[in-house]
């Protein structure tokens, strides 16, 4: 385990050099802990199709944290978070922001609760619910979605959770104009950002949307 942890730390440092992200040593350690926990739990709970811990660094950790510079506000909800992606990595590197991680599968929420406890993350609230049934008495500055649903479904299912000035953050592979054309009239695209993720094969885009 110590050897794997050292290898992952070296790899993370190499990957981060190709980005503009500045992380503390503690944040790096927590991200590595998250990968190790994902790797451990994945064997029994099949949380992700990515099996190699080094691949997890690229496809899960870097793929999540590159969104960080674009977050506006203090309170965010990650809908359809799966094993906490992108919510857990973003929470680790943004300790001043609050993240709610929502999923309808108990085993995923169990993993997230365990990760929060073992890693020592204090700004995450797990939510076991379907998104359309989650009716909190507060709203969010941002709604995050990574491979959760189409832009249309994301906006329709989640609109009750967003503040008036809030943004939808849809993490996508290729940018699909047909998806945008299917958006209801009350939503519009604010910006499309091409994300650069070191060593990742394939395109990644961040689509920012708002209520009109």
């Amino acid at each position: 385990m110590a050897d794997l942890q050292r290898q992952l730390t070296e790899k993370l440092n190499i990957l981060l050099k190709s980005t503009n992200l500045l992380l503390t040593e503690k944040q790096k350690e927590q991200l590595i802990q998250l990968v190790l926990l994902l790797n451990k739990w994945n064997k029994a709970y099949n949380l992700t199709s990515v099996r190699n811990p080094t691949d997890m660094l690229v496809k899960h950790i870097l793929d999540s944290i590159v969104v960080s510079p674009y977050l506006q506000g203090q309170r965010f909800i990650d809908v359809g978070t799966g094993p906490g992606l992108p919510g857990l990595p973003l929470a680790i590197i943004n300790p001043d922001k609050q993240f709610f991680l929502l999923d309808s599968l108990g085993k995923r929420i169990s993993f997230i609760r365990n990760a929060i406890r073992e890693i020592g993350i204090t700004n995450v609230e797990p939510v076991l619910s379907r998104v359309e049934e989650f009716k909190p008495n507060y709203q969010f500055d941002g709604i995050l979605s990574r491979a959760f649903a189409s832009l249309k479904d994301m906006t329709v299912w989640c609109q009750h959770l967003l503040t008036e000035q809030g943004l939808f953050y849809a993490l996508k592979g290729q940018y699909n104009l047909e998806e945008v054309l299917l958006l209801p009239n009350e939503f519009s695209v604010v910006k499309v950002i091409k994300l650069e993720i070191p060593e990742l094969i394939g395109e990644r885009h961040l689509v920012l949307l708002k209520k009109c």
Side-chain angles (χ1 to χ4, degrees), residues 12 16 22-38 60-61 64-65 68 71 83-99 101 111-112 115-116 118-124:
L12 179 58
L16 287 171
L22 296 174
L23 275 59
T24 66
E25 290 305 313
K26 181 185 177 183
Q27 288 167 349
K28 292 177 190 176
E29 287 172 12
Q30 289 178 311
L31 290 173
I32 298 301
Q33 278 184 279
L34 177 56
V35 170
L36 293 173
L37 283 173
L38 260 177
H60 289 333
I61 303 301
S64 296
I65 64 176
S68 183
L71 298 181
L85 302 167
L88 284 177
L90 286 172
I92 286 170
I93 70 167
N94 291 280
D96 59 325
K97 301 183 188 299
Q98 189 72 22
F99 292 84
L101 274 54
F111 169 76
I112 291 167
I116 290 167
E118 290 207 26
I119 299 171
I121 305 170
T122 58
N123 58 330
V124 168

Side-chain angles (χ1 to χ4, degrees), residues 72-73 75-76 139-143 159 161-169 187-188 190 208-212:
Q72 300 174 35
R75 181 188 284 156
F76 298 85
Q139 291 178 305
F140 297 89
D141 301 311
I143 297 175
Q159 59 181 313
L161 298 172
L162 198 66
T163 64
E164 277 301 311
Q165 303 302 317
L167 292 172
F168 292 95
Y169 298 80
F187 301 100
S188 63
V190 177
L208 303 181
L209 306 107
K210 68 173 182 178
K211 295 177 186 176
C212 296

